[in-house]
Amino acid sequence: MDWTLEVITVPVTDVDRSLAFYRDKVGFHVDLDMEVMPGARVVQLTPPGSGCSIALTDGVPSPTGEARPGGYHGLQLVVTDIEAARAELTGRGLEVTGPERYGDSDGATFLYFTDPDGNGWAVQQYRARIAEPLHELLARQRDTA
């Protein structure tokens, strides 16, 4: 059985403000914005080229507990050209830090930003993604190790 990670709920205090941020500054595509039950709204957005989306919610119950807006860190996007990604994000008015290079290997360069609530994102450069999707590359590396 395949288990696909498709949606991550990002805790925010203001869905409309966050919708504008992720759509206009980060460049995510709006998949849906709807009331899913009386008083409960879901906005789903997807990064270009991604198979995983984020969801911003208001009034949606969470049976496993509530996440704190601004307390989510470690969300990560992967790009093939960190400088182009930086230029695109800053061109939309987003403040980013980096890029930071942590080593010589592919995948060791990052930049960072936070959303209006302080949820933290990393953007990783992985040039090998140009020719091969990350999950295939990592599986091949794991099989040869």
Side-chain angles (χ1 to χ4, degrees):
M1 171 185 330
D2 289 338
W3 295 63
T4 61
L5 181 61
E6 295 189 11
V7 180
I8 297 170
T9 301
V10 176
V12 298
T13 56
D14 183 326
V15 171
D16 289 317
R17 176 183 72 173
S18 296
L19 164 62
F21 173 82
Y22 284 107
R23 180 192 59 216
D24 302 337
K25 294 208 177 204
V26 187
F28 287 10
H29 177 264
V30 179
D31 301 320
L32 67 91
D33 181 351
M34 63 185 290
E35 187 174 69
V36 295
M37 64 182 93
R41 178 181 174 200
V42 173
V43 175
Q44 184 171 315
L45 303 105
T46 303
S50 180
C52 187
S53 303
I54 64 168
L56 312 173
T57 64
D58 184 26
V60 176
S62 178
T64 60
E66 294 296 323
R68 181 178 48 86
Y72 224 0
H73 296 276
L75 296 160
Q76 187 165 312
L77 301 167
V78 178
V79 299
T80 57
D81 184 335
I82 201 88
E83 292 298 338
R86 186 180 198 293
E88 187 174 321
L89 294 172
T90 59
R92 289 192 195 111
L94 183 62
E95 291 184 31
V96 300
T97 61
E100 300 291 332
R101 186 161 182 84
Y102 297 106
D104 293 331
S105 65
D106 191 15
T109 303
F110 293 81
L111 60 85
Y112 304 93
F113 67 88
T114 58
D115 74 7
D117 285 295
N119 294 302
W121 289 81
V123 179
Q124 177 188 29
Q125 176 175 275
Y126 215 118
R127 292 181 304 274
R129 291 288 299 271
I130 293 170
E132 187 171 20
L134 182 60
H135 70 279
E136 291 176 14
L137 175 69
L138 294 175
R140 190 178 77 247
Q141 288 174 346
R142 188 173 47 247
D143 292 343
T144 59

